[in-house]
Amino acid sequence: MKLPAGLPIGETWIEAPSTAPVIFPYDGSTISDAPVGNVELARQALDHALGVRETVGRLPSYLRRKVLQSVHSAVLAERDAFVDLLVLETGKPLVDCRVEIDRTLLTLETSAEEVARLHGETVPLDLLPSGDGLVGFWVRKPIGVVVGITGFNYPLLLAAHKIAPAFAAGCPIIIKPAPQTPLATLWLVHLMRSALLEADAPESAVQLVTGGADVGATLTTDRRVGAVSFTGSAAVGHQIARDAAPTKVLLELGSNSALVVAADADLDAAADAIIRGGYYASGQACISVQRVIAVDSIHTALLDELNARLPSVVVGDPRDPSTHVSALIDPKSTDRVRTWISQSLTAGAAVAYPGADASTAVLGPTVLTDVPAGQLAWDEEIFGPVIAVRSVPDLDSAFRTVNESRYGLHASVFTSSLDTAFTAIDRLDVGGVVINEVPGFRSDVMPYGGVKDSGIGREGPRFAIEELTTTRMAIIRPRP
């Protein structure tokens, strides 16, 4: 990875006032020093974005599609290098970083295709006599400057989820990556700006600013911004929504995703899904399996199936292709997860599989049972390799338990009954219901997002592009 020095602001790269080390979570070594921006650079980026807003909004469809296709090709050509970088800066296992690249490529490709589908429609106005002779239609227009703020766990994919739809919609975007993981996003922005330069389009259509909360506040509270798209914690998302009002805000705020196992479920498939869904990305995914809700009749059998599989979950160096679980993003996160586990045990929970060995820096896969309501390991997003299993008397109780959470991103139900499947889709108060798969099964061409404290708005190229455009109504009375 060879990047210009500084931060990509305006039509060039500007020297940053300071740098900070990017740390490999597994062993604490420094990967690289990354530029750290400040409030002044954030203001400059805003001015540049506003300066090209009309130009970017008028870029023809073929050019926007061409730029995104070019970036797709550039990322594909550097696929292995991107994977290696993601492993180092996130600490995620290699297998998960490969999936992140594949999903990033799909997002870029699909966003390019969606440029051709960005249109309005004609409307019959003569449904009332007063509309006789009038011509009516509506079109979609870019919402304006977009500010995108991303989380550390999928830095490249989350950046692509914001950059590609914004540009496809004709919006300049300023991206702010998580402080722990700026490198892959910087590289993606560099490739995007190179494609813009080659297409004779303004490079300031895509800019990047790093920094702390003051930088984020500067970007999100400027009333000239058209939309803010944030991925992160509920507490920060709520603060952004309050501070940014009345600017449009799109929030993806995570969850404590539930997986329901019915009495008629295929237990082998359910157990496999719980292992896959609970521990991929070391549990640091907003739709990882966290709460497993099993009906009483199969509860013990399900735990037996899980315990039989858990020894095969490899814990270790994320660079090893066989590793499933590795270090969390930083020691503070590891200590927090251990604290939540300890608090649950004090409150009456039990350990069905003891992966959280305090003598090692890496948390192994952990299974808790009977975690009481009110405990953080059940009520909140643990963001670690921990699942909590609870038994309930029947499916009605299971669905109620899912819905009692303040979150509502995705939920899964394992069942052999089509009636149960459709009942779950109807009753579960979440943004996505997945039957006989992990809640983390996410297609990047679907409308992804949550309800309640899991956020507002939808991602996925088609749906994000709609979120980042406004409809403009047009009525014409032709002259005789």
Side-chain angles (χ1 to χ4, degrees), residues 361-401:
V362 178
L363 289 171
T366 302
V367 179
L368 303 176
T369 58
D370 302 320
V371 177
Q375 289 300 304
L376 295 172
W378 182 267
D379 289 359
E380 296 299 320
E381 184 175 44
I382 198 163
F383 234 57
V386 181
I387 62 171
V389 182
R390 180 184 292 182
S391 63
V392 293
D394 50 42
L395 280 174
D396 281 344
S397 301
F399 294 161
R400 284 197 302 272
T401 302

Side-chain angles (χ1 to χ4, degrees), residues 12 77 103 120 140 190 206 238 268 292 309 328 345 360 434:
T12 185
R103 292 180 58 193
R140 288 197 172 274
H190 174 56
V206 181
H238 294 167
D268 283 341
V292 176
R309 287 164 171 77
L328 301 186
L345 298 179
T360 64
V434 184

Side-chain angles (χ1 to χ4, degrees), residues 441-470:
F441 184 86
R442 172 180 172 183
S443 171
D444 294 284
V445 296
M446 292 283 274
Y448 175 75
V451 298
K452 300 188 288 187
D453 276 359
S454 287
I456 186 171
R458 293 295 180 265
E459 290 189 344
R462 171 188 169 189
F463 308 95
I465 290 170
E466 289 182 358
E467 297 275 14
L468 299 177
T469 57
T470 60

